[in-house]
């Protein structure tokens, strides 16, 4: 990334940097925690990194796991089928665990509704580049 996308204020850069590293941390934890979205936090980290840290931005773009996700997102808002299936299974398992282990109340149903809406949005994204006719 070039320095052109960086914010000029040091405080704003610091806040974007904090957002980038916190999002990356949550994204890394989300790899092993079912129900917590990994891709969204990595995308947020990459966006914030472009505004604060060219070094972190370059690391994310060249990372063997995160690089392809970011490339696909920046080139057509593409989410691979494997990521969609993984997100769906993860959310489904999380919903089942909540329904089995917790008291059924509005917070549980609200969480399941949020996961369902997120899942619908994920499946609405393209899976590959469309070829021009």
């Amino acid at each position: 990334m070039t320095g052109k996308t960086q914010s000029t204020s040091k405080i704003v850069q610091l806040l974007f940097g904090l957002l980038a590293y916190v999002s990356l941390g949550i994204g890394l934890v989300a790899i092993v925690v079912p129900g917590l979205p990994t891709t969204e936090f990595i995308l947020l980290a990459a966006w914030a990194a472009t505004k604060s840290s060219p070094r972190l931005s370059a690391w994310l773009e060249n990372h063997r796991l995160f690089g392809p996700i970011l490339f696909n997102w920046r080139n057509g808002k593409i989410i691979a089928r494997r990521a969609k299936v993984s997100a769906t299974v993860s959310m489904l398992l999380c919903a089942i665990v909540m329904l089995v282990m917790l008291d059924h109340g509005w917070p549980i149903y609200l969480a399941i509704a949020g996961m369902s809406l997120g899942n619908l949005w994920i499946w609405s994204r393209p899976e590959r580049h469309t070829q021009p006719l």
Side-chain angles (χ1 to χ4, degrees):
M1 285 282 130
T2 64
K4 294 178 185 176
T5 58
Q6 283 188 301
S7 176
T8 56
S9 166
K10 290 293 182 189
I11 295 202
V12 172
Q13 276 187 337
L14 180 66
L15 291 174
F16 276 121
L18 183 63
L19 177 62
Y21 281 104
V22 168
S23 298
L24 178 59
I26 294 171
L28 293 173
V29 169
I31 291 172
V32 295
V33 176
L36 194 59
T38 303
T39 302
E40 289 83 348
F41 284 107
I42 298 304
L43 291 174
L44 180 59
W47 173 77
T50 62
K51 300 192 174 295
S52 62
S53 172
R55 184 176 172 190
L56 177 60
S57 182
W59 181 81
L60 286 168
E61 289 177 11
N62 294 313
H63 192 274
R64 70 176 184 87
L65 295 175
F66 307 138
I69 293 170
L70 297 172
F71 177 83
N72 285 340
W73 184 255
R74 288 184 177 145
N75 293 291
K77 307 233 183 293
I78 294 166
I79 300 176
R81 179 169 295 230
R82 181 174 180 216
K84 290 178 180 185
V85 170
S86 175
T88 300
V89 169
S90 177
M91 285 186 253
L92 185 59
L93 288 173
C94 186
I96 290 169
V97 167
M98 287 192 305
L99 289 171
V100 170
M101 304 288 275
L102 302 173
D103 291 333
H104 293 207
W106 68 267
I108 300 302
Y109 299 125
L110 183 62
I112 291 172
M115 286 188 286
S116 299
L117 290 173
N119 204 27
L120 287 172
W121 180 83
I122 287 170
W123 282 95
S124 73
R125 303 292 92 206
E127 293 178 3
R128 61 181 62 93
H129 294 283
T130 56
Q131 299 295 327
L133 297 177

